[in-house]
Amino acid sequence: MPQPLTHPDRLLPADSGVRRIARSLLESVQGLPILSPHGHVDAAVIEQNTPFPDPAALLVSPDHYVTRLIHASGVPLGRLRTSADTEPNPREVWREFCKAWPLFDGTASGHWLRDQFQFVFGLSQLPSPESSDLLYDEISAKLQEETFRPRQLFKDFNIEVLATTDDPLDMLESHQALADDPTFHGRVLPTFRPDAYLNIAHPDWAGNVERLIAAAGDGGTGYSAYLTALENRRRYFIDHGAVSADHGVMTPATLKLDAADAARLFDRARSGQAGPRERDAFEAHMLYQMARMSVEDGLVMTIHPGSFRNHHTPTFEAFGADTGHDIPVAVNYTEAIRPLLQDFGTAKDFHLVLFTLDETVFSRELAPLAGFYPSVYLGAPWWFLDAPDAMLRFRSAVTESAGFSRFSGFIDDTRAFCSIPARHEASRRVEASFLARLVAEHRIDEERAFEIMIDTVDTSPRRAFKL
Amino acid sequence: MPQPLTHPDRLLPADSGVRRIARSLLESVQGLPILSPHGHVDAAVIEQNTPFPDPAALLVSPDHYVTRLIHASGVPLGRLRTSADTEPNPREVWREFCKAWPLFDGTASGHWLRDQFQFVFGLSQLPSPESSDLLYDEISAKLQEETFRPRQLFKDFNIEVLATTDDPLDMLESHQALADDPTFHGRVLPTFRPDAYLNIAHPDWAGNVERLIAAAGDGGTGYSAYLTALENRRRYFIDHGAVSADHGVMTPATLKLDAADAARLFDRARSGQAGPRERDAFEAHMLYQMARMSVEDGLVMTIHPGSFRNHHTPTFEAFGADTGHDIPVAVNYTEAIRPLLQDFGTAKDFHLVLFTLDETVFSRELAPLAGFYPSVYLGAPWWFLDAPDAMLRFRSAVTESAGFSRFSGFIDDTRAFCSIPARHEASRRVEASFLARLVAEHRIDEERAFEIMIDTVDTSPRRAFKL
Amino acid sequence: MPQPLTHPDRLLPADSGVRRIARSLLESVQGLPILSPHGHVDAAVIEQNTPFPDPAALLVSPDHYVTRLIHASGVPLGRLRTSADTEPNPREVWREFCKAWPLFDGTASGHWLRDQFQFVFGLSQLPSPESSDLLYDEISAKLQEETFRPRQLFKDFNIEVLATTDDPLDMLESHQALADDPTFHGRVLPTFRPDAYLNIAHPDWAGNVERLIAAAGDGGTGYSAYLTALENRRRYFIDHGAVSADHGVMTPATLKLDAADAARLFDRARSGQAGPRERDAFEAHMLYQMARMSVEDGLVMTIHPGSFRNHHTPTFEAFGADTGHDIPVAVNYTEAIRPLLQDFGTAKDFHLVLFTLDETVFSRELAPLAGFYPSVYLGAPWWFLDAPDAMLRFRSAVTESAGFSRFSGFIDDTRAFCSIPARHEASRRVEASFLARLVAEHRIDEERAFEIMIDTVDTSPRRAFKL
């Protein structure tokens, strides 16, 4: 009988006493469903229930966590991803991945993949040059089975809620079809993500704005039609089940402009005349406007700042966005977010979930903000920080001043559908480990730890994301 | 017999071997008195020995650590604190607190409160909606007893030194009365805190300066009388027992101006003409001047930078300052403090204690500065960082380059008199835990750990604060 | 029989299960040679094989880690170091050091010294006022023995490669002599360090440039001769065994200027007309040029940014540079290094090792950069961060996103020849401790941990530094 690829105590603390507590905490939430209020799975994949094409397309090529580290080891991206010039053979991509497998030791990606190999695909060996073709064939065969269709996996993964991330003009047909389908029991919710309509520096901004106003501006033109169109499209999303609007920004700067100034900047931007300061001011103002709309329509507002997108232009030009070279920068929230919080920080039912790629704001800014403003929730450690040690650093940094109640729950933020259970499982193991330490250090009662465990895994995301 | 509310091993490490060492280290300092060289207790409370009014006024309403987290959970501040419009009923405040008690699990405040419930009030149950009225009555009854008067508690808490924080024009009558009272054996020392006289942006700055010069300017006017008045009031404080001058600033920027330039900026500021840059320059210059005065008169200089005060204007307008929405910002010391250190960094008997709310400067700037300049001492982790994990991060970040000798000792920085023992006890437990780990990892000898433990708890604050 | 000064399990984790794994990992690399690809030992010391003068000159006076902390305790530097005015007696220096010994408890320096006392000098007591003269005599006697000559120690320390740091105009005679000596079996490699020729603010910049162009500019003048001279001297270094070029900069800003603009700025700088912005632009451009040259000639490029040099001018004026008051500042890599990486980030065989004194960039910027760009390697924790807890923080911060393969190996960066084994040993112990924890937490397989241990200690520096 083959050795299992994973250990039942993986990610739990080494100390046997602490581990025992952590195990109990983990067991106590084992039956709870997955709530995934922020991610990047395509709703059409679930709706159309198409089989996944092949191991490379499922597990390697689209996952920038995976391709980036193989690229760093010297393998050209063209051997892993499709570009205008290249269309790598899936079996060859898989071979590159298997050869590169040792690179992933100790990484979050490596952990998630191993969990998938064990629990989704039931593999009995790890990737290696020797096992490559065998594993490819084994997974490929599985992918043809009925039980590996997206809808069955959705059910087997015990997903209750899965939020997607969508363009404001998306008609959300797949979401509608799923909601209308009496045979599908999960909730697949759209998320309003208007970056490409707010960020003037985006190459398609002017065109996007044009299309937006034409589609939903109630016949108007100019700034006020732009606001109306955004409001209308948010309403459309809400009508299709959306609970949140997400904002990926370089900085979380916010600014309140009066309508005339905003309109003037908008017009200058549309005619290409706005300088960098005007663009910054307008974008900060629009982040403020998004909060205003959230206060009015109830969509939870989430902010993901501080990623320098597409750091390496030649790679971007060949392979497009989201190909592994978005690099974080330092972030400051306290002064940047203040104009927004001055006006909406205590607004009734307004929920604002703040994320960061810059750990320094955990204890310095985020916990203090979430520990005062009823609207502010702590976003889970995200992207490069979505890993056991980093999640423990987050917990250690925020809990002592903000407690557990201000947490908005784990988000998997993933395009990789089959990694969802592994990511949530890892998060639960880390939460159990942290709580177990506090129990062992007599900092919280064991009984309360069990309540907090359920709150963290289940109640927090339901509360913060209004699920 | 009821369960005690606290565990004897609370905050000690989970590993049994390390815990054993930590316990011994902790026991070795159990008899040592509390030295509190920086805090916000009102000297009049001790002097007049008035009974504490009620549980809410003692433990909830004035404690921004406590009200902020309840506020974040959605309870309006007006149900917890007095404003122009509201005067909440103490028993109702206490009920809100008891209902909110689970919010404090895992927080420093929760830990301190629990310790107080056990060791100051001898309670046998934790706060909850059910226990609320009972606990209120139980604590209220205690507060009427002679043994719960401030002076008896001062003695029972084994406080040797308690520093207050005072306005430069305060006449320090309570301090004087306590010093003159042969029946009172503690030391209650004033601290010179001139922020409202140095910070031009302070709403009362011009009026404060007016009063200062009138009161202590030796009949002069203008900048030189301003300096003279500050020097005179420092002298007055020293004559009343002060050992330190404290400075709460947005940034620790310092600047040496020549007297003519400084005088010109001072005059422009008084007439309301100074622009932002001139204000910044003048304030940086005055921080430099405070160091110059400390070199001359021997007051230890402490700097508490990096708190954005009163972040939420509507709350400030309704409830005033110190109501839970001061939010930290990033701080840089290396270049900011350099002009001061260039001239005074090696001055004889000059002591400069540097604090931070931005953990990033622990290893990057503070340990390197304190590891070279004989004047620079490491301030204890402060405010949001005054908690077990944060204190361990501080120790881990500074010890490897600066050792233990540059520490200035724990400060409780508190308004909450009854929390003082709990805070010092928590600090001692954390110090013992850190040292125990170094012993267990064979990084220091056990014998030396006992010496360092005493040095940390007792010798360091005496040395750094010239007690 | 005297107690040994060090414990066999020093720096290993307290938990007995984790420690057992760490011990095995440590043992597995015990025979591996020391590879020291970046440091500050003088090649002439090895070449001429001169006996070390005395204990103070060997262990105290030149080591800024050591003198700084004694200075912070109130001992004037003139009692420890030579200045224009003072020439302290070595035995007195040693007495100061022995008196100050307790300051070093818990510090990296203290740990290294203790290891040297045990393993290099075989002492049987620690420094103290009582043992001072005895230890002085004991060490002095040893220093006279043949076995304590540099070449014998080099062999006994099992050093395979030792890189020095050298001025671009250095003729590298000692390196040449060592390479030519058939009786010497180590590799002593020069490192090209052109800071004083690139940094316009350096007091000798203009003169240095003059000498550089005269020596190696192929008869030309101006900017193009300057580039040629740098290229020629790099070639000379390569011909003498150099594998890397090192750059100590305030910020890692890079910029591509066209040749005409660069030439114009160069001329303005030489004539003293360049303003601060022009100087910054030129220096950023020259860092870009250094990368360009590295791509062409194959020298590994290392960047050590973020140290504010000579913070205390009076000390600098009396005692010179590298005397303990270089203080780190915040660093940002993501945007600063981008122009360089845009053009050379994926260049064939280009190796760029990025260091930092600002821990915040570990997880935020360095791991993400090294996890994508094949050229970027993670520099080891350096200077103030070259200590057990800091090294563990580094590992924890970078491994989860970049894995182990992007590490460039430990560097000792030291002037203190006899501390080299202690520093490498400490690093190996920390690496073993980190890996042991991951094994105990079932995050990597034990078998793989042994492979990674060897990779970290041996293969990584060979690969990253092209040894």
Side-chain angles (χ1 to χ4, degrees):
Chain A
M1 203 181 124
Q3 281 285 97
L5 301 185
T6 65
H7 192 281
D9 287 333
R10 64 199 180 282
L11 306 188
L12 300 187
D15 179 277
S16 62
V18 186
R19 179 176 290 182
R20 203 160 34 238
I21 304 168
R23 266 193 214 132
S24 313
L25 289 165
L26 183 63
E27 273 163 28
S28 76
V29 295
Q30 221 135 36
L32 294 180
I34 286 176
L35 303 170
S36 175
H38 179 78
H40 296 272
V41 169
D42 182 357
V45 167
I46 315 290
E47 192 239 323
Q48 290 156 28
N49 202 27
T50 37
F52 295 108
D54 63 70
L58 179 63
L59 297 167
V60 182
S61 300
D63 188 337
H64 56 72
Y65 284 84
V66 172
T67 60
R68 65 197 307 280
L69 210 48
I70 306 178
H71 176 258
S73 80
V75 175
L77 265 195
R79 284 202 227 151
L80 303 166
R81 286 178 171 275
T82 301
S83 73
D85 305 328
T86 55
E87 171 80 54
N89 173 284
R91 189 177 284 270
E92 290 299 329
V93 171
W94 183 255
R95 281 182 189 150
E96 288 288 356
F97 166 70
C98 289
K99 209 172 84 187
W101 177 247
L103 301 177
F104 294 93
D105 273 303
T107 66
S109 293
H111 179 82
W112 299 325
L113 286 164
R114 198 164 169 145
D115 253 36
Q116 290 172 72
F117 295 154
Q118 171 80 34
F119 298 107
V120 181
F121 298 103
L123 304 185
S124 53
Q125 356 177 12
L126 290 170
S128 71
E130 295 71 38
S131 68
S132 170
D133 284 358
L134 190 86
L135 296 179
Y136 189 90
D137 295 334
E138 205 171 333
I139 298 173
S140 296
K142 292 254 161 77
L143 294 181
Q144 301 314 310
E145 297 173 18
E146 262 319 296
T147 55
F148 277 83
R149 294 288 194 91
R151 290 194 179 200
Q152 184 60 40
L153 290 176
F154 195 102
K155 195 177 162 193
D156 293 346
F157 291 170
N158 195 17
I159 299 174
E160 179 181 319
V161 175
L162 181 74
T164 61
T165 297
D166 306 278
D167 187 281
L169 290 183
D170 194 303
M171 293 313 289
L172 308 175
E173 291 98 341
S174 292
H175 297 84
Q176 186 66 54
L178 284 166
D180 292 345
D181 183 345
T183 69
F184 182 72
H185 300 292
R187 294 171 66 194
V188 177
L189 311 179
T191 300
F192 188 79
R193 170 88 171 233
D195 300 355
Y197 298 77
L198 304 182
N199 177 353
I200 297 170
H202 192 286
D204 303 326
W205 181 77
N208 287 341
V209 164
E210 208 75 47
R211 290 190 304 123
L212 176 70
I213 292 176
D218 289 352
T221 58
Y223 176 66
S224 73
Y226 172 63
L227 290 188
T228 299
L230 286 164
E231 286 164 351
N232 284 338
R233 293 307 300 166
R234 291 171 65 101
R235 175 56 52 198
Y236 186 88
F237 270 62
I238 293 167
D239 292 343
H240 288 74
V243 296
S244 75
D246 181 44
H247 305 85
V249 289
M250 186 77 171
T251 85
T254 59
L255 181 65
K256 183 185 183 176
L257 295 174
D258 65 31
D261 285 344
R264 195 178 44 76
L265 289 184
F266 179 74
D267 291 341
R268 285 177 59 79
R270 285 182 92 182
S271 61
Q273 294 174 292
R277 281 171 168 221
E278 291 174 309
R279 289 204 300 259
D280 288 350
F282 184 74
E283 287 171 27
H285 170 70
M286 285 312 297
L287 204 55
Y288 175 94
Q289 282 293 334
M290 290 296 109
R292 194 262 304 158
M293 292 183 199
S294 273
V295 169
E296 290 173 8
D297 64 22
L299 280 182
V300 175
M301 182 176 192
T302 62
I303 303 184
H304 287 93
S307 179
F308 191 113
R309 304 278 171 178
N310 307 314
H311 195 261
H312 191 238
T313 305
T315 298
F316 173 67
E317 286 169 351
F319 298 95
D322 301 318
T323 48
H325 48 105
D326 296 346
I327 311 287
V329 295
V331 161
N332 292 292
Y333 262 115
T334 302
E335 292 176 271
I337 201 79
R338 191 175 179 237
L340 186 163
L341 290 175
Q342 287 281 54
D343 288 356
F344 308 122
T346 58
K348 193 168 152 27
D349 293 334
F350 176 47
H351 289 196
L352 175 63
V353 186
L354 302 181
F355 292 87
T356 183
L357 297 168
D358 175 0
E359 299 189 52
T360 70
V361 302
F362 284 160
S363 73
R364 191 180 65 215
E365 307 181 27
L366 291 188
L369 287 167
F372 173 76
Y373 287 102
S375 57
V376 176
Y377 289 86
L378 294 165
W382 163 55
W383 204 336
F384 299 104
L385 304 176
D386 174 8
D389 280 10
M391 292 195 273
L392 287 174
R393 292 197 299 272
F394 167 78
R395 275 284 166 222
S396 172
V398 303
T399 305
E400 295 181 323
S401 60
F404 291 94
S405 65
R406 310 304 305 150
F407 184 52
S408 63
F410 178 71
I411 59 160
D412 55 66
D413 190 35
T414 194
R415 282 166 173 70
F417 182 63
C418 289
S419 75
I420 290 176
R423 290 172 192 248
H424 285 260
E425 176 72 16
S427 158
R428 292 173 182 196
R429 286 170 179 269
V430 173
E431 298 293 358
S433 300
F434 180 73
L435 282 165
R437 176 167 72 85
L438 294 205
V439 170
E441 293 173 2
H442 302 288
R443 291 167 62 177
I444 49 175
D445 298 331
E446 188 154 2
E447 182 183 33
R448 274 292 291 148
F450 280 89
E451 294 173 12
I452 293 169
M453 188 69 201
I454 290 172
D455 193 82
T456 299
V457 168
D458 198 80
T459 321
S460 285
R462 289 188 199 277
R463 180 172 51 221
F465 281 93
K466 304 182 178 176
L467 295 176
Chain B
M1 203 181 125
Q3 282 284 96
L5 302 184
T6 64
H7 192 282
D9 286 333
R10 65 199 179 281
L11 306 188
L12 300 187
D15 180 276
S16 62
V18 186
R19 179 175 289 181
R20 205 160 34 238
I21 304 168
R23 266 193 213 132
S24 313
L25 289 165
L26 183 63
E27 273 163 28
S28 76
V29 295
Q30 221 134 38
L32 294 180
I34 286 176
L35 303 170
S36 175
H38 179 79
H40 296 272
V41 169
D42 182 358
V45 167
I46 315 290
E47 192 238 325
Q48 290 157 29
N49 203 27
T50 37
F52 295 109
D54 63 69
L58 179 63
L59 297 167
V60 182
S61 300
D63 189 337
H64 56 72
Y65 283 85
V66 172
T67 60
R68 66 197 305 280
L69 210 47
I70 306 179
H71 176 258
S73 79
V75 176
L77 265 194
R79 284 202 228 150
L80 303 167
R81 287 177 170 276
T82 302
S83 73
D85 304 328
T86 56
E87 170 81 53
N89 172 283
R91 189 176 286 268
E92 291 298 330
V93 171
W94 184 255
R95 282 182 189 149
E96 289 287 357
F97 166 71
C98 288
K99 210 172 83 188
W101 176 248
L103 301 176
F104 294 93
D105 274 303
T107 68
S109 292
H111 180 83
W112 300 325
L113 286 163
R114 199 165 170 145
D115 253 37
Q116 290 172 71
F117 294 153
Q118 170 81 32
F119 297 107
V120 180
F121 298 104
L123 304 184
S124 54
Q125 355 176 14
L126 289 171
S128 70
E130 295 71 37
S131 67
S132 169
D133 283 358
L134 189 88
L135 296 180
Y136 189 90
D137 294 334
E138 205 173 332
I139 298 174
S140 296
K142 292 254 162 77
L143 295 180
Q144 301 313 311
E145 296 173 18
E146 263 318 298
T147 53
F148 277 82
R149 294 289 196 89
R151 288 193 180 202
Q152 185 60 40
L153 290 177
F154 195 102
K155 195 177 162 195
D156 293 346
F157 291 169
N158 195 18
I159 300 174
E160 179 181 318
V161 174
L162 182 74
T164 61
T165 297
D166 306 278
D167 186 281
L169 290 182
D170 194 303
M171 294 312 289
L172 309 175
E173 291 98 341
S174 293
H175 297 84
Q176 186 66 54
L178 285 166
D180 292 345
D181 183 344
T183 70
F184 182 73
H185 301 291
R187 294 171 68 194
V188 177
L189 311 179
T191 300
F192 188 79
R193 169 89 169 231
D195 300 355
Y197 300 77
L198 305 182
N199 177 353
I200 297 169
H202 191 286
D204 305 325
W205 181 76
N208 286 341
V209 164
E210 208 74 46
R211 291 189 304 122
L212 176 71
I213 292 176
D218 291 353
T221 58
Y223 176 67
S224 74
Y226 172 63
L227 290 188
T228 300
L230 286 164
E231 286 164 351
N232 284 338
R233 293 306 302 167
R234 292 171 64 101
R235 173 57 51 199
Y236 185 87
F237 270 62
I238 293 167
D239 293 343
H240 287 75
V243 295
S244 74
D246 181 44
H247 304 85
V249 288
M250 187 76 172
T251 84
T254 59
L255 181 66
K256 183 184 183 177
L257 295 173
D258 67 33
D261 286 343
R264 194 177 46 76
L265 288 185
F266 179 74
D267 292 340
R268 284 178 58 81
R270 285 182 91 183
S271 61
Q273 296 174 289
R277 281 174 169 218
E278 291 175 309
R279 291 204 299 260
D280 288 349
F282 185 75
E283 287 171 27
H285 170 71
M286 286 310 298
L287 202 57
Y288 176 95
Q289 282 293 333
M290 290 295 109
R292 194 262 304 158
M293 293 182 198
S294 273
V295 168
E296 289 173 9
D297 65 22
L299 280 181
V300 174
M301 181 175 193
T302 61
I303 302 184
H304 287 92
S307 179
F308 190 112
R309 305 277 173 179
N310 307 313
H311 195 262
H312 191 238
T313 305
T315 298
F316 173 67
E317 286 169 353
F319 299 94
D322 301 318
T323 49
H325 48 107
D326 297 346
I327 311 287
V329 295
V331 160
N332 292 291
Y333 261 116
T334 301
E335 291 176 271
I337 201 78
R338 190 172 180 238
L340 186 163
L341 289 175
Q342 287 280 54
D343 288 357
F344 309 122
T346 58
K348 192 167 152 27
D349 294 333
F350 175 47
H351 289 196
L352 175 64
V353 186
L354 301 182
F355 293 87
T356 184
L357 297 168
D358 175 1
E359 299 189 51
T360 70
V361 302
F362 284 160
S363 73
R364 190 180 65 214
E365 306 181 27
L366 291 188
L369 288 167
F372 174 77
Y373 288 103
S375 56
V376 176
Y377 288 87
L378 294 165
W382 163 55
W383 204 334
F384 299 103
L385 303 177
D386 174 9
D389 280 9
M391 291 195 275
L392 286 174
R393 292 197 298 273
F394 167 77
R395 275 286 166 223
S396 172
V398 304
T399 304
E400 295 181 323
S401 59
F404 291 94
S405 65
R406 309 305 305 152
F407 185 52
S408 63
F410 178 71
I411 60 159
D412 54 66
D413 190 34
T414 194
R415 284 163 174 72
F417 182 63
C418 289
S419 75
I420 291 175
R423 290 171 192 250
H424 285 260
E425 176 71 15
S427 158
R428 292 174 183 194
R429 285 171 180 269
V430 173
E431 298 293 358
S433 300
F434 180 73
L435 282 165
R437 174 166 72 85
L438 294 205
V439 170
E441 293 174 1
H442 302 289
R443 291 167 61 175
I444 49 175
D445 298 331
E446 188 154 2
E447 181 184 35
R448 273 292 290 149
F450 280 89
E451 294 173 12
I452 293 169
M453 188 70 201
I454 290 172
D455 193 83
T456 298
V457 169
D458 197 81
T459 321
S460 285
R462 290 188 198 277
R463 180 172 52 219
F465 281 92
K466 304 181 178 176
L467 297 177
Chain C
M1 202 181 125
Q3 282 284 97
L5 301 185
T6 64
H7 193 282
D9 286 333
R10 66 197 178 283
L11 306 188
L12 300 188
D15 180 275
S16 62
V18 187
R19 180 175 290 181
R20 204 160 34 237
I21 304 168
R23 266 194 213 131
S24 313
L25 289 165
L26 183 63
E27 273 163 30
S28 76
V29 295
Q30 221 135 35
L32 294 180
I34 288 175
L35 303 170
S36 174
H38 179 79
H40 296 272
V41 169
D42 182 357
V45 167
I46 315 290
E47 191 240 323
Q48 289 157 30
N49 203 26
T50 38
F52 295 108
D54 63 71
L58 179 63
L59 298 166
V60 182
S61 301
D63 189 337
H64 56 73
Y65 284 83
V66 172
T67 61
R68 66 196 307 279
L69 209 47
I70 306 178
H71 176 258
S73 79
V75 176
L77 265 195
R79 283 202 228 149
L80 304 167
R81 285 178 172 276
T82 302
S83 73
D85 304 328
T86 56
E87 170 80 54
N89 173 283
R91 188 176 285 270
E92 291 298 330
V93 171
W94 183 255
R95 282 182 188 149
E96 288 288 357
F97 166 71
C98 288
K99 211 172 83 188
W101 176 248
L103 301 177
F104 294 94
D105 273 304
T107 66
S109 293
H111 179 83
W112 299 325
L113 286 163
R114 200 164 169 147
D115 252 37
Q116 290 172 71
F117 294 154
Q118 171 80 33
F119 298 106
V120 180
F121 299 104
L123 303 185
S124 54
Q125 356 176 11
L126 289 171
S128 71
E130 295 72 37
S131 68
S132 169
D133 283 359
L134 190 86
L135 295 180
Y136 190 90
D137 295 334
E138 206 172 331
I139 298 173
S140 297
K142 292 254 162 75
L143 296 180
Q144 302 313 310
E145 295 173 20
E146 263 319 297
T147 54
F148 277 82
R149 294 290 194 89
R151 289 194 177 200
Q152 184 60 39
L153 290 175
F154 194 103
K155 194 176 163 193
D156 293 346
F157 291 170
N158 195 17
I159 300 174
E160 179 181 317
V161 175
L162 181 74
T164 62
T165 297
D166 307 277
D167 187 281
L169 290 182
D170 193 305
M171 294 312 290
L172 308 175
E173 292 97 341
S174 292
H175 298 84
Q176 186 66 54
L178 285 166
D180 292 345
D181 183 344
T183 71
F184 182 72
H185 301 291
R187 293 171 67 194
V188 177
L189 311 179
T191 300
F192 188 78
R193 169 89 170 232
D195 300 354
Y197 299 77
L198 304 182
N199 176 354
I200 296 170
H202 192 286
D204 303 326
W205 180 77
N208 286 341
V209 164
E210 208 76 47
R211 290 190 302 122
L212 176 70
I213 292 176
D218 290 352
T221 57
Y223 176 66
S224 74
Y226 171 63
L227 291 187
T228 300
L230 286 164
E231 287 164 350
N232 284 337
R233 293 308 301 167
R234 292 171 65 101
R235 175 56 51 198
Y236 185 88
F237 269 63
I238 293 167
D239 292 343
H240 287 74
V243 295
S244 75
D246 181 45
H247 305 85
V249 288
M250 187 76 170
T251 83
T254 59
L255 182 65
K256 183 184 182 177
L257 295 174
D258 66 32
D261 286 343
R264 195 179 44 77
L265 288 184
F266 179 74
D267 292 340
R268 285 178 57 81
R270 286 181 91 182
S271 61
Q273 294 175 292
R277 280 172 169 222
E278 291 175 309
R279 290 204 300 260
D280 289 349
F282 185 75
E283 287 170 28
H285 170 70
M286 286 311 297
L287 204 55
Y288 175 95
Q289 283 293 333
M290 289 296 109
R292 194 263 302 159
M293 292 181 198
S294 273
V295 168
E296 290 173 7
D297 65 22
L299 280 181
V300 174
M301 180 176 193
T302 63
I303 303 184
H304 287 92
S307 179
F308 191 113
R309 304 278 172 178
N310 308 312
H311 194 261
H312 191 238
T313 305
T315 298
F316 173 67
E317 285 169 353
F319 298 94
D322 300 318
T323 50
H325 48 107
D326 296 345
I327 312 287
V329 294
V331 160
N332 293 290
Y333 262 115
T334 301
E335 290 177 271
I337 201 78
R338 190 174 180 236
L340 186 164
L341 290 174
Q342 286 281 56
D343 288 357
F344 309 122
T346 57
K348 194 169 152 28
D349 293 334
F350 175 47
H351 289 196
L352 174 64
V353 186
L354 301 181
F355 292 87
T356 183
L357 297 168
D358 175 1
E359 299 189 52
T360 70
V361 303
F362 284 160
S363 72
R364 192 180 63 216
E365 306 181 26
L366 291 188
L369 287 167
F372 173 76
Y373 287 103
S375 56
V376 176
Y377 288 87
L378 294 165
W382 163 55
W383 204 335
F384 299 104
L385 303 176
D386 174 10
D389 280 10
M391 291 194 274
L392 286 174
R393 291 196 299 274
F394 166 77
R395 275 284 166 223
S396 171
V398 303
T399 304
E400 295 181 323
S401 59
F404 290 94
S405 65
R406 308 306 304 151
F407 184 51
S408 63
F410 178 71
I411 60 160
D412 55 66
D413 191 35
T414 194
R415 284 164 173 73
F417 182 65
C418 289
S419 76
I420 290 175
R423 290 171 192 250
H424 285 260
E425 176 71 17
S427 158
R428 292 174 181 194
R429 287 172 178 268
V430 173
E431 298 293 359
S433 300
F434 180 73
L435 282 165
R437 174 166 73 84
L438 295 205
V439 170
E441 293 173 2
H442 303 291
R443 292 168 60 177
I444 49 175
D445 298 330
E446 188 154 3
E447 181 183 34
R448 272 293 290 150
F450 280 89
E451 294 173 12
I452 294 169
M453 187 71 200
I454 290 172
D455 192 82
T456 299
V457 169
D458 198 80
T459 321
S460 285
R462 290 189 198 276
R463 180 173 51 220
F465 281 92
K466 304 182 179 176
L467 297 175

